[in-house]
Amino acid sequence: MIYVIARMELNDNCLAAMQQLLARTVPQVLAEEGCLQYTPCVDVDEETKEQFITIVEAWSSRETHKAHLATAHMAEFREAAGKLRKNSVVKIVAPLN
């Protein structure tokens, strides 16, 4: 199993638009083979909660995650999200044991 932490810094006043984009994308991702979790989150800190969205993901393997990245709906997501965010950072981790 792997975990993916994808953190996006949003452009000003883009939280609602990103939420709408994620509302369309999340069900498609959850239906993918190997997807165990795909949860968009906002910061708890009031100062940054409208500035960042972090997607917490769990995948059965690195291969299923790579297949996810190659799907048409993720290409569409990346294109649309690129207009709504300043940047993004992705970390992929695995359990220690």
Side-chain angles (χ1 to χ4, degrees), residues 6-68:
R7 185 163 174 84
M8 298 179 280
E9 182 177 7
L10 302 177
N11 292 326
D12 293 340
N13 303 310
C14 287
L15 179 61
M18 182 62 79
Q19 287 174 305
Q20 291 174 352
L21 177 58
L22 286 164
R24 293 190 306 270
T25 305
V26 169
Q28 295 172 308
V29 175
L30 290 172
E32 291 179 45
E33 180 180 343
C35 181
L36 306 173
Q37 177 182 354
Y38 194 84
T39 308
C41 303
V42 293
D43 284 9
V44 174
D45 186 348
E46 286 292 323
E47 294 176 14
T48 58
K49 77 176 197 177
E50 294 195 20
Q51 184 180 2
F52 294 95
I53 289 184
T54 302
I55 303 174
V56 179
E57 309 173 35
W59 294 88
S60 61
S61 68
R62 179 75 178 167
E63 292 72 28
T64 58
H65 180 250
K66 286 181 182 179
H68 154 72

Side-chain angles (χ1 to χ4, degrees), residues 65-85:
H65 180 250
K66 286 181 182 179
H68 154 72
L69 294 175
T71 61
H73 58 264
M74 285 311 296
E76 293 170 9
F77 174 82
R78 284 188 295 273
E79 182 178 337
K83 300 170 187 165
L84 303 174
R85 64 186 178 197

